[in-house]
Amino acid sequence: MSDMEMYRNAADFISSRINEWPQIAIVLGSGLGPLANEVQQPVEIDYADIPGFPETTVMGHAGKLIYGMLGGKRVLAMKGRFHYYEGHDISKVVFHIRVFKLLGISNLLVTNAAGGINTSFRPGDLMLITDHISFFAPSPLRGKNLDEFGPRFPDMCNAYDPELIEMAAEVGKKRGLSLRKGIYAFTQGPMFETPAEIRALRIMGADAVGMSTVPEVITARHCGIRVLGISCITNMAAGILRQKLDHTEVIDTAKKVEKDFTGLVKDILKQWKL
Ligand code: HPA
């Protein structure tokens, strides 16, 4: 079966389970899955049932697509994503993005848990991603280009839509949240970074670091999907506040900001012009 047929099979399966076309896809990061509980009239689809979908294996990541209404929009939310460190081929890590495209989706909200590199950040801060650094993993576009999706050498300027960033910043202000803006650096994981790596990433211009999102954003931009990215700074990166990092800190902080995050996302969806 060709790659294109695999994407189409998955898209056909999903569209057979939902009645209308989704308007915005949402990828929920570690510990941020509870947002999916807010989706009204939900239709849940297990990844295991979708042809070609990889399995998720991480604590804090479920493995369901949830379709329904949120913030007045028809959304397709991914509770649990695929990470490179799980051992998937990089093309599998972004499989869902191309399926979204075939479902007619041209707007994507990606979220993640991230370590804060910028020393003015604090755990619990929410950061609008303005750009990314991704030198440390293969490109998800590696291999034969699928011209149906986009060009061989796609532009990555304004990968994070400037209008959406400004809209989200306004929404944050109205909600009384002091949202950060910053650059997200992608690392392969699954180990947290060393303090020396964090110092190096800071010199390169990164404000936050994480093990997801960037391959998805590259794939989305390749096929012309607009992207808004939000990081939840769940911990300060290695060597800043303490010498030991632990995934439970990531989940605990994400839980603490759940209310702020959920309210923010709902209002962002309300203001999102399609
Ligand atoms: N590093 C990488 N990924 C992360 C971190 C971190 O400190 N926190 C949450 N995801």
Side-chain angles (χ1 to χ4, degrees), residues 6-34:
M6 278 178 52
Y7 298 127
R8 280 213 187 94
N9 280 349
D12 288 348
F13 179 83
I14 294 165
S15 62
S16 75
R17 301 280 296 270
I18 59 182
N19 296 326
E20 287 170 303
W21 294 110
Q23 296 167 307
I24 302 178
I26 306 175
V27 180
L28 295 165
S30 294
L32 302 173

PDB file of all heavy atoms in Angstrom, residues 6-34:
ATOM      1  N   MET A   6      -2.440   4.886   2.724  1.00  0.00           N
ATOM      2  CA  MET A   6      -2.540   4.739   4.177  1.00  0.00           C
ATOM      3  C   MET A   6      -3.184   5.963   4.822  1.00  0.00           C
ATOM      4  O   MET A   6      -4.045   5.851   5.687  1.00  0.00           O
ATOM      5  CB  MET A   6      -1.163   4.484   4.782  1.00  0.00           C
ATOM      6  CG  MET A   6      -0.774   3.028   4.676  1.00  0.00           C
ATOM      7  SD  MET A   6       0.853   2.643   5.296  1.00  0.00           S
ATOM      8  CE  MET A   6       0.860   3.338   6.900  1.00  0.00           C
ATOM      9  N   TYR A   7      -2.747   7.143   4.380  1.00  0.00           N
ATOM     10  CA  TYR A   7      -3.356   8.375   4.928  1.00  0.00           C
ATOM     11  C   TYR A   7      -4.852   8.404   4.593  1.00  0.00           C
ATOM     12  O   TYR A   7      -5.688   8.749   5.421  1.00  0.00           O
ATOM     13  CB  TYR A   7      -2.687   9.626   4.346  1.00  0.00           C
ATOM     14  CG  TYR A   7      -1.215   9.776   4.665  1.00  0.00           C
ATOM     15  CD1 TYR A   7      -0.273   9.976   3.651  1.00  0.00           C
ATOM     16  CD2 TYR A   7      -0.758   9.744   5.981  1.00  0.00           C
ATOM     17  CE1 TYR A   7       1.072  10.127   3.938  1.00  0.00           C
ATOM     18  CE2 TYR A   7       0.586   9.892   6.275  1.00  0.00           C
ATOM     19  CZ  TYR A   7       1.496  10.087   5.251  1.00  0.00           C
ATOM     20  OH  TYR A   7       2.827  10.234   5.533  1.00  0.00           O
ATOM     21  N   ARG A   8      -5.177   8.033   3.346  1.00  0.00           N
ATOM     22  CA  ARG A   8      -6.583   8.077   2.918  1.00  0.00           C
ATOM     23  C   ARG A   8      -7.447   7.090   3.692  1.00  0.00           C
ATOM     24  O   ARG A   8      -8.567   7.420   4.096  1.00  0.00           O
ATOM     25  CB  ARG A   8      -6.704   7.759   1.418  1.00  0.00           C
ATOM     26  CG  ARG A   8      -6.381   8.942   0.578  1.00  0.00           C
ATOM     27  CD  ARG A   8      -7.165   9.029  -0.739  1.00  0.00           C
ATOM     28  NE  ARG A   8      -6.602  10.140  -1.474  1.00  0.00           N
ATOM     29  CZ  ARG A   8      -5.641  10.012  -2.388  1.00  0.00           C
ATOM     30  NH1 ARG A   8      -5.190   8.811  -2.721  1.00  0.00           N
ATOM     31  NH2 ARG A   8      -5.153  11.082  -2.967  1.00  0.00           N
ATOM     32  N   ASN A   9      -6.904   5.886   3.920  1.00  0.00           N
ATOM     33  CA  ASN A   9      -7.673   4.889   4.683  1.00  0.00           C
ATOM     34  C   ASN A   9      -8.013   5.411   6.069  1.00  0.00           C
ATOM     35  O   ASN A   9      -9.135   5.245   6.552  1.00  0.00           O
ATOM     36  CB  ASN A   9      -6.864   3.590   4.838  1.00  0.00           C
ATOM     37  CG  ASN A   9      -6.931   2.746   3.587  1.00  0.00           C
ATOM     38  OD1 ASN A   9      -7.734   3.018   2.695  1.00  0.00           O
ATOM     39  ND2 ASN A   9      -6.090   1.719   3.527  1.00  0.00           N
ATOM     40  N   ALA A  10      -7.006   6.017   6.713  1.00  0.00           N
ATOM     41  CA  ALA A  10      -7.240   6.539   8.067  1.00  0.00           C
ATOM     42  C   ALA A  10      -8.271   7.661   8.023  1.00  0.00           C
ATOM     43  O   ALA A  10      -9.190   7.711   8.849  1.00  0.00           O
ATOM     44  CB  ALA A  10      -5.929   7.032   8.673  1.00  0.00           C
ATOM     45  N   ALA A  11      -8.135   8.563   7.039  1.00  0.00           N
ATOM     46  CA  ALA A  11      -9.079   9.690   6.935  1.00  0.00           C
ATOM     47  C   ALA A  11     -10.489   9.177   6.648  1.00  0.00           C
ATOM     48  O   ALA A  11     -11.468   9.649   7.245  1.00  0.00           O
ATOM     49  CB  ALA A  11      -8.621  10.660   5.850  1.00  0.00           C
ATOM     50  N   ASP A  12     -10.602   8.183   5.768  1.00  0.00           N
ATOM     51  CA  ASP A  12     -11.933   7.625   5.441  1.00  0.00           C
ATOM     52  C   ASP A  12     -12.559   7.000   6.678  1.00  0.00           C
ATOM     53  O   ASP A  12     -13.750   7.147   6.933  1.00  0.00           O
ATOM     54  CB  ASP A  12     -11.820   6.557   4.342  1.00  0.00           C
ATOM     55  CG  ASP A  12     -11.517   7.177   2.986  1.00  0.00           C
ATOM     56  OD1 ASP A  12     -11.628   8.422   2.870  1.00  0.00           O
ATOM     57  OD2 ASP A  12     -11.153   6.421   2.054  1.00  0.00           O
ATOM     58  N   PHE A  13     -11.727   6.307   7.462  1.00  0.00           N
ATOM     59  CA  PHE A  13     -12.250   5.668   8.671  1.00  0.00           C
ATOM     60  C   PHE A  13     -12.795   6.722   9.635  1.00  0.00           C
ATOM     61  O   PHE A  13     -13.903   6.600  10.156  1.00  0.00           O
ATOM     62  CB  PHE A  13     -11.159   4.836   9.356  1.00  0.00           C
ATOM     63  CG  PHE A  13     -11.636   4.190  10.616  1.00  0.00           C
ATOM     64  CD1 PHE A  13     -12.332   2.992  10.579  1.00  0.00           C
ATOM     65  CD2 PHE A  13     -11.426   4.806  11.846  1.00  0.00           C
ATOM     66  CE1 PHE A  13     -12.808   2.408  11.750  1.00  0.00           C
ATOM     67  CE2 PHE A  13     -11.900   4.226  13.020  1.00  0.00           C
ATOM     68  CZ  PHE A  13     -12.585   3.025  12.969  1.00  0.00           C
ATOM     69  N   ILE A  14     -12.001   7.774   9.849  1.00  0.00           N
ATOM     70  CA  ILE A  14     -12.429   8.824  10.794  1.00  0.00           C
ATOM     71  C   ILE A  14     -13.696   9.509  10.275  1.00  0.00           C
ATOM     72  O   ILE A  14     -14.647   9.718  11.023  1.00  0.00           O
ATOM     73  CB  ILE A  14     -11.288   9.847  11.032  1.00  0.00           C
ATOM     74  CG1 ILE A  14     -10.119   9.159  11.741  1.00  0.00           C
ATOM     75  CG2 ILE A  14     -11.792  11.047  11.847  1.00  0.00           C
ATOM     76  CD1 ILE A  14      -8.818   9.941  11.711  1.00  0.00           C
ATOM     77  N   SER A  15     -13.722   9.817   8.982  1.00  0.00           N
ATOM     78  CA  SER A  15     -14.908  10.539   8.494  1.00  0.00           C
ATOM     79  C   SER A  15     -16.145   9.649   8.506  1.00  0.00           C
ATOM     80  O   SER A  15     -17.264  10.149   8.605  1.00  0.00           O
ATOM     81  CB  SER A  15     -14.663  11.195   7.134  1.00  0.00           C
ATOM     82  OG  SER A  15     -14.374  10.242   6.195  1.00  0.00           O
ATOM     83  N   SER A  16     -15.957   8.327   8.502  1.00  0.00           N
ATOM     84  CA  SER A  16     -17.132   7.448   8.607  1.00  0.00           C
ATOM     85  C   SER A  16     -17.718   7.463  10.022  1.00  0.00           C
ATOM     86  O   SER A  16     -18.851   7.062  10.241  1.00  0.00           O
ATOM     87  CB  SER A  16     -16.767   6.009   8.217  1.00  0.00           C
ATOM     88  OG  SER A  16     -16.027   5.392   9.262  1.00  0.00           O
ATOM     89  N   ARG A  17     -16.925   7.945  10.999  1.00  0.00           N
ATOM     90  CA  ARG A  17     -17.396   7.956  12.393  1.00  0.00           C
ATOM     91  C   ARG A  17     -17.930   9.317  12.843  1.00  0.00           C
ATOM     92  O   ARG A  17     -18.470   9.432  13.928  1.00  0.00           O
ATOM     93  CB  ARG A  17     -16.244   7.537  13.324  1.00  0.00           C
ATOM     94  CG  ARG A  17     -15.684   6.139  13.034  1.00  0.00           C
ATOM     95  CD  ARG A  17     -16.559   5.050  13.626  1.00  0.00           C
ATOM     96  NE  ARG A  17     -16.577   5.136  15.069  1.00  0.00           N
ATOM     97  CZ  ARG A  17     -15.713   4.507  15.867  1.00  0.00           C
ATOM     98  NH1 ARG A  17     -14.785   3.721  15.363  1.00  0.00           N
ATOM     99  NH2 ARG A  17     -15.791   4.636  17.165  1.00  0.00           N
ATOM    100  N   ILE A  18     -17.693  10.349  12.051  1.00  0.00           N
ATOM    101  CA  ILE A  18     -18.166  11.686  12.444  1.00  0.00           C
ATOM    102  C   ILE A  18     -19.045  12.235  11.321  1.00  0.00           C
ATOM    103  O   ILE A  18     -18.878  11.859  10.161  1.00  0.00           O
ATOM    104  CB  ILE A  18     -16.983  12.649  12.748  1.00  0.00           C
ATOM    105  CG1 ILE A  18     -16.059  12.828  11.536  1.00  0.00           C
ATOM    106  CG2 ILE A  18     -16.180  12.160  13.937  1.00  0.00           C
ATOM    107  CD1 ILE A  18     -14.862  13.719  11.787  1.00  0.00           C
ATOM    108  N   ASN A  19     -19.994  13.108  11.701  1.00  0.00           N
ATOM    109  CA  ASN A  19     -20.977  13.539  10.694  1.00  0.00           C
ATOM    110  C   ASN A  19     -20.531  14.735   9.868  1.00  0.00           C
ATOM    111  O   ASN A  19     -20.922  14.879   8.732  1.00  0.00           O
ATOM    112  CB  ASN A  19     -22.303  13.878  11.367  1.00  0.00           C
ATOM    113  CG  ASN A  19     -22.893  12.654  12.018  1.00  0.00           C
ATOM    114  OD1 ASN A  19     -22.735  11.551  11.499  1.00  0.00           O
ATOM    115  ND2 ASN A  19     -23.525  12.823  13.157  1.00  0.00           N
ATOM    116  N   GLU A  20     -19.741  15.629  10.516  1.00  0.00           N
ATOM    117  CA  GLU A  20     -19.385  16.863   9.824  1.00  0.00           C
ATOM    118  C   GLU A  20     -17.875  16.986   9.737  1.00  0.00           C
ATOM    119  O   GLU A  20     -17.143  16.282  10.415  1.00  0.00           O
ATOM    120  CB  GLU A  20     -19.934  18.059  10.595  1.00  0.00           C
ATOM    121  CG  GLU A  20     -21.425  18.194  10.459  1.00  0.00           C
ATOM    122  CD  GLU A  20     -21.954  19.241  11.423  1.00  0.00           C
ATOM    123  OE1 GLU A  20     -21.721  19.100  12.622  1.00  0.00           O
ATOM    124  OE2 GLU A  20     -22.564  20.200  10.953  1.00  0.00           O
ATOM    125  N   TRP A  21     -17.437  17.954   8.948  1.00  0.00           N
ATOM    126  CA  TRP A  21     -16.004  18.175   8.836  1.00  0.00           C
ATOM    127  C   TRP A  21     -15.485  18.943  10.049  1.00  0.00           C
ATOM    128  O   TRP A  21     -16.062  19.963  10.402  1.00  0.00           O
ATOM    129  CB  TRP A  21     -15.680  18.989   7.577  1.00  0.00           C
ATOM    130  CG  TRP A  21     -15.987  18.241   6.318  1.00  0.00           C
ATOM    131  CD1 TRP A  21     -16.986  18.514   5.438  1.00  0.00           C
ATOM    132  CD2 TRP A  21     -15.295  17.099   5.806  1.00  0.00           C
ATOM    133  NE1 TRP A  21     -16.981  17.609   4.411  1.00  0.00           N
ATOM    134  CE2 TRP A  21     -15.951  16.723   4.602  1.00  0.00           C
ATOM    135  CE3 TRP A  21     -14.201  16.339   6.239  1.00  0.00           C
ATOM    136  CZ2 TRP A  21     -15.535  15.636   3.831  1.00  0.00           C
ATOM    137  CZ3 TRP A  21     -13.798  15.254   5.475  1.00  0.00           C
ATOM    138  CH2 TRP A  21     -14.454  14.919   4.300  1.00  0.00           C
ATOM    139  N   PRO A  22     -14.412  18.481  10.660  1.00  0.00           N
ATOM    140  CA  PRO A  22     -13.829  19.262  11.755  1.00  0.00           C
ATOM    141  C   PRO A  22     -13.203  20.554  11.209  1.00  0.00           C
ATOM    142  O   PRO A  22     -12.750  20.590  10.067  1.00  0.00           O
ATOM    143  CB  PRO A  22     -12.750  18.357  12.334  1.00  0.00           C
ATOM    144  CG  PRO A  22     -12.719  17.124  11.512  1.00  0.00           C
ATOM    145  CD  PRO A  22     -13.687  17.238  10.394  1.00  0.00           C
ATOM    146  N   GLN A  23     -13.209  21.606  12.034  1.00  0.00           N
ATOM    147  CA  GLN A  23     -12.636  22.887  11.598  1.00  0.00           C
ATOM    148  C   GLN A  23     -11.220  23.091  12.127  1.00  0.00           C
ATOM    149  O   GLN A  23     -10.394  23.700  11.457  1.00  0.00           O
ATOM    150  CB  GLN A  23     -13.530  24.031  12.091  1.00  0.00           C
ATOM    151  CG  GLN A  23     -14.920  23.993  11.477  1.00  0.00           C
ATOM    152  CD  GLN A  23     -15.883  24.914  12.185  1.00  0.00           C
ATOM    153  OE1 GLN A  23     -16.047  24.850  13.399  1.00  0.00           O
ATOM    154  NE2 GLN A  23     -16.510  25.799  11.442  1.00  0.00           N
ATOM    155  N   ILE A  24     -10.998  22.650  13.359  1.00  0.00           N
ATOM    156  CA  ILE A  24      -9.681  22.861  13.974  1.00  0.00           C
ATOM    157  C   ILE A  24      -9.227  21.556  14.629  1.00  0.00           C
ATOM    158  O   ILE A  24     -10.014  20.918  15.350  1.00  0.00           O
ATOM    159  CB  ILE A  24      -9.741  23.983  15.044  1.00  0.00           C
ATOM    160  CG1 ILE A  24     -10.243  25.296  14.417  1.00  0.00           C
ATOM    161  CG2 ILE A  24      -8.380  24.185  15.712  1.00  0.00           C
ATOM    162  CD1 ILE A  24     -10.384  26.452  15.399  1.00  0.00           C
ATOM    163  N   ALA A  25      -8.001  21.150  14.361  1.00  0.00           N
ATOM    164  CA  ALA A  25      -7.441  19.983  15.051  1.00  0.00           C
ATOM    165  C   ALA A  25      -6.650  20.489  16.248  1.00  0.00           C
ATOM    166  O   ALA A  25      -6.025  21.562  16.197  1.00  0.00           O
ATOM    167  CB  ALA A  25      -6.539  19.193  14.112  1.00  0.00           C
ATOM    168  N   ILE A  26      -6.699  19.725  17.320  1.00  0.00           N
ATOM    169  CA  ILE A  26      -5.965  20.098  18.540  1.00  0.00           C
ATOM    170  C   ILE A  26      -5.131  18.897  18.961  1.00  0.00           C
ATOM    171  O   ILE A  26      -5.647  17.785  19.054  1.00  0.00           O
ATOM    172  CB  ILE A  26      -6.933  20.452  19.690  1.00  0.00           C
ATOM    173  CG1 ILE A  26      -7.925  21.529  19.256  1.00  0.00           C
ATOM    174  CG2 ILE A  26      -6.161  20.898  20.931  1.00  0.00           C
ATOM    175  CD1 ILE A  26      -8.986  21.839  20.322  1.00  0.00           C
ATOM    176  N   VAL A  27      -3.842  19.114  19.204  1.00  0.00           N
ATOM    177  CA  VAL A  27      -3.000  18.042  19.743  1.00  0.00           C
ATOM    178  C   VAL A  27      -2.691  18.404  21.193  1.00  0.00           C
ATOM    179  O   VAL A  27      -2.160  19.486  21.469  1.00  0.00           O
ATOM    180  CB  VAL A  27      -1.698  17.866  18.941  1.00  0.00           C
ATOM    181  CG1 VAL A  27      -0.860  16.748  19.547  1.00  0.00           C
ATOM    182  CG2 VAL A  27      -1.999  17.553  17.473  1.00  0.00           C
ATOM    183  N   LEU A  28      -3.075  17.510  22.099  1.00  0.00           N
ATOM    184  CA  LEU A  28      -2.910  17.785  23.529  1.00  0.00           C
ATOM    185  C   LEU A  28      -1.631  17.139  24.046  1.00  0.00           C
ATOM    186  O   LEU A  28      -1.393  15.952  23.841  1.00  0.00           O
ATOM    187  CB  LEU A  28      -4.122  17.264  24.293  1.00  0.00           C
ATOM    188  CG  LEU A  28      -5.417  18.000  23.921  1.00  0.00           C
ATOM    189  CD1 LEU A  28      -6.641  17.247  24.411  1.00  0.00           C
ATOM    190  CD2 LEU A  28      -5.393  19.421  24.467  1.00  0.00           C
ATOM    191  N   GLY A  29      -0.831  17.952  24.735  1.00  0.00           N
ATOM    192  CA  GLY A  29       0.451  17.477  25.244  1.00  0.00           C
ATOM    193  C   GLY A  29       0.329  16.745  26.567  1.00  0.00           C
ATOM    194  O   GLY A  29      -0.768  16.590  27.113  1.00  0.00           O
ATOM    195  N   SER A  30       1.473  16.320  27.097  1.00  0.00           N
ATOM    196  CA  SER A  30       1.537  15.584  28.369  1.00  0.00           C
ATOM    197  C   SER A  30       0.768  16.301  29.463  1.00  0.00           C
ATOM    198  O   SER A  30       1.017  17.473  29.729  1.00  0.00           O
ATOM    199  CB  SER A  30       2.983  15.485  28.871  1.00  0.00           C
ATOM    200  OG  SER A  30       3.735  14.715  28.011  1.00  0.00           O
ATOM    201  N   GLY A  31      -0.176  15.594  30.076  1.00  0.00           N
ATOM    202  CA  GLY A  31      -0.920  16.155  31.199  1.00  0.00           C
ATOM    203  C   GLY A  31      -1.996  17.148  30.789  1.00  0.00           C
ATOM    204  O   GLY A  31      -2.747  17.629  31.634  1.00  0.00           O
ATOM    205  N   LEU A  32      -2.092  17.480  29.498  1.00  0.00           N
ATOM    206  CA  LEU A  32      -3.055  18.491  29.057  1.00  0.00           C
ATOM    207  C   LEU A  32      -4.308  17.845  28.455  1.00  0.00           C
ATOM    208  O   LEU A  32      -5.218  18.529  27.992  1.00  0.00           O
ATOM    209  CB  LEU A  32      -2.402  19.447  28.044  1.00  0.00           C
ATOM    210  CG  LEU A  32      -1.152  20.173  28.586  1.00  0.00           C
ATOM    211  CD1 LEU A  32      -0.465  20.975  27.474  1.00  0.00           C
ATOM    212  CD2 LEU A  32      -1.499  21.095  29.747  1.00  0.00           C
ATOM    213  N   GLY A  33      -4.345  16.516  28.504  1.00  0.00           N
ATOM    214  CA  GLY A  33      -5.460  15.746  27.945  1.00  0.00           C
ATOM    215  C   GLY A  33      -6.832  16.092  28.514  1.00  0.00           C
ATOM    216  O   GLY A  33      -7.826  16.004  27.796  1.00  0.00           O
ATOM    217  N   PRO A  34      -6.931  16.495  29.821  1.00  0.00           N
ATOM    218  CA  PRO A  34      -8.256  16.763  30.389  1.00  0.00           C
ATOM    219  C   PRO A  34      -9.078  17.785  29.609  1.00  0.00           C
ATOM    220  O   PRO A  34     -10.303  17.789  29.691  1.00  0.00           O
ATOM    221  CB  PRO A  34      -7.940  17.277  31.797  1.00  0.00           C
ATOM    222  CG  PRO A  34      -6.665  16.588  32.152  1.00  0.00           C
ATOM    223  CD  PRO A  34      -5.889  16.517  30.864  1.00  0.00           C
TER     224      PRO A  34
END
